[in-house]
Amino acid sequence: MVTVKRLVLDVLKPHQPGALDFCREIATLGPDYQVCLIVEEVDENTQTVQLEVRGAALELTVIAEAIAGMGASLHSVDQVEVHNEADQD
């Protein structure tokens, strides 16, 4: 089975929620999600951030919905890491 292990996303977010709350919300989406956020640019109303999410089986659609739910927008998927693991029967 092929699973997504790591995503690096380009996200435009409002100043609120702050970086810590934004990351905490994304981390709650999976039992082992690890989230790292780097602020790349700040203007009057928004922040451009690089969001890195790691986990055993990431769901991009769920992550994108959570991002949108916090008033942010996913601009691009900049890096992806997937693993092909043999099915355990």
Side-chain angles (χ1 to χ4, degrees), residues 11-58:
V11 176
L12 181 69
K13 67 176 273 313
H15 291 292
Q16 296 302 320
L20 185 57
D21 290 334
F22 194 86
C23 288
R24 283 181 174 154
E25 183 65 27
I26 299 298
T28 66
L29 300 175
D32 65 343
Y33 280 20
Q34 299 173 3
V35 183
C36 177
L37 182 147
I38 299 170
V39 177
E40 295 185 331
E41 187 177 329
V42 177
D43 70 17
E44 187 175 328
N45 299 311
T46 61
Q47 298 175 336
T48 300
V49 302
Q50 179 186 72
L51 187 69
E52 180 178 348
V53 185
R54 293 179 177 267
L58 302 178

Side-chain angles (χ1 to χ4, degrees), residues 1 84-89:
M1 172 173 45
N84 185 5
E85 299 166 349
D87 290 332
Q88 303 294 324
D89 290 339

Side-chain angles (χ1 to χ4, degrees), residues 51-85:
L51 187 69
E52 180 178 348
V53 185
R54 293 179 177 267
L58 302 178
E59 295 290 336
L60 178 59
T61 55
V62 173
I63 294 168
E65 288 171 1
I67 289 169
M70 290 185 278
S73 59
L74 174 59
H75 280 188
S76 63
V77 178
D78 293 345
Q79 293 182 29
V80 178
E81 181 180 335
V82 297
H83 292 196
N84 185 5
E85 299 166 349

